[in-house]
Amino acid sequence: MRKHTPGQSKARKVYAHCNPFNDVPYNFPTSPASMDWSQHFAQHTKDHPNVPLQVSFVDIGCGFGNLLLQLAKLWPNRCGVGMEIRQKAAEITRGRLEQLRKEYNDSHTDNQQLHHYRNVSVIRTNVMKYISHYFEKQSLDVMFFCFPDPHFKKSNHRRRIITTALLDYYAYLLKTNGLIYNITDVKDLYEWTVAQFEKHPLFERLTETELKDTNINRVVQLITNETDEAQRVTRNGGQKYVCVYRKKNIV
């Protein structure tokens, strides 16, 4: 057996599953008004002193931050946050962001292939319990739920991140016409998710024609083909099921 020696980093095992109903302590703001986003976007705020800081998109269950990093480059003028319940996964994502920012700062070049990654951050939290503590009503443009934990057992379906009850919270946080992108490689979960949306009065599914819109299609292609998780499914010969929903304009 290989022994760990001082100064040598241990391999960190990151579990794929986490029970959102476990009683685990989290640091979270008492209300959106008390959330200090400048801690997460300090340099971005300095670079744009006359632009109010507004988080525009959130990646729920961001894992190791692959999609978050892609979105940072796709939407350089927007701020976004990844939210992850697993502490080690959040730490890895935070470390990746810090390293990429350092590489950008050290480059001293106008290389267009490099991005500063100052417009995204990550928070370790339990979305089911605390998401409404972070964002104001109707403040988000886009939410992502990509390859969420399927919680296969019927007794655990209540742990799924998209339910009709949770959609009440997401509808509260999304702007009118705001979008939710969802992708999974589990057909049962896909059908469940569609059923949850269809039962909710504030969401409507985008049509195939609407999905061909250049901006929307670019995001769909991103979550379908360009993240590590999506590529893993492709390598394993799996199927990917995508649905995009819009918050209705209710007068």
Side-chain angles (χ1 to χ4, degrees), residues 42-234:
Q43 188 60 49
H44 183 83
T45 302
K46 291 180 181 178
D47 295 341
H48 304 83
N50 299 320
V51 179
L53 179 56
Q54 176 70 52
V55 174
S56 169
F57 62 92
V58 57
D59 181 13
I60 305 297
C62 67
F64 303 127
N66 297 300
L67 176 60
L68 192 64
L69 298 179
Q70 297 274 9
L71 293 171
K73 294 185 290 185
L74 180 66
W75 294 328
N77 297 318
R78 294 187 184 186
C79 288
V81 172
M83 291 187 151
E84 173 58 49
I85 194 171
R86 297 167 298 168
Q87 182 174 353
K88 289 184 179 179
E91 289 173 355
I92 290 172
T93 301
R94 189 174 296 110
R96 294 181 69 186
L97 282 171
E98 291 173 354
Q99 180 61 33
L100 288 166
R101 291 167 182 166
K102 183 178 184 301
E103 291 176 2
Y104 178 85
N105 291 335
D106 293 345
S107 65
H108 303 294
T109 178
D110 293 329
N111 187 347
Q112 296 300 312
Q113 299 301 314
L114 293 178
H115 183 69
H116 51 71
Y117 296 100
R118 297 167 183 160
N119 59 324
V120 290
S121 187
V122 61
I123 294 173
R124 188 228 175 184
T125 191
N126 186 330
V127 166
M128 282 189 176
K129 295 181 179 180
Y130 305 123
I131 190 170
S132 60
H133 289 253
Y134 288 91
F135 305 109
E136 299 281 359
K137 178 182 179 181
Q138 296 187 42
S139 63
L140 295 174
D141 292 306
V142 188
M143 300 181 75
F144 292 89
F145 298 83
C146 298
F147 300 100
D149 192 331
H151 294 292
F152 287 106
K153 292 182 180 179
K154 188 173 182 179
S155 60
N156 289 337
H157 284 183
R158 65 195 182 99
R159 299 180 184 177
R160 290 178 170 177
I161 195 62
I162 293 180
T163 64
T164 303
L166 287 171
L167 286 175
D168 286 343
Y169 288 95
Y170 306 152
Y172 176 83
L173 300 175
L174 278 170
K175 297 177 182 178
T176 299
N177 296 320
L179 298 176
I180 290 181
Y181 289 84
N182 172 254
I183 183 171
T184 179
D185 58 334
V186 180
K187 186 176 182 181
D188 172 73
L189 179 60
Y190 166 75
E191 293 173 346
W192 158 280
T193 300
V194 170
Q196 302 306 301
F197 274 109
E198 294 304 315
K199 288 187 290 186
H200 201 283
L202 293 180
F203 288 97
E204 57 186 1
R205 188 169 184 175
L206 267 61
T207 65
E208 291 299 319
T209 300
E210 289 175 315
L211 290 176
K212 294 178 182 178
D213 174 85
T214 302
N215 294 326
I216 294 174
N217 183 259
R218 178 68 189 92
V219 179
V220 171
Q221 292 303 313
L222 178 63
I223 65 174
T224 305
N225 300 312
E226 298 180 32
T227 66
D228 285 355
E229 187 68 17
Q231 291 173 3
R232 177 194 63 79
V233 175
T234 299

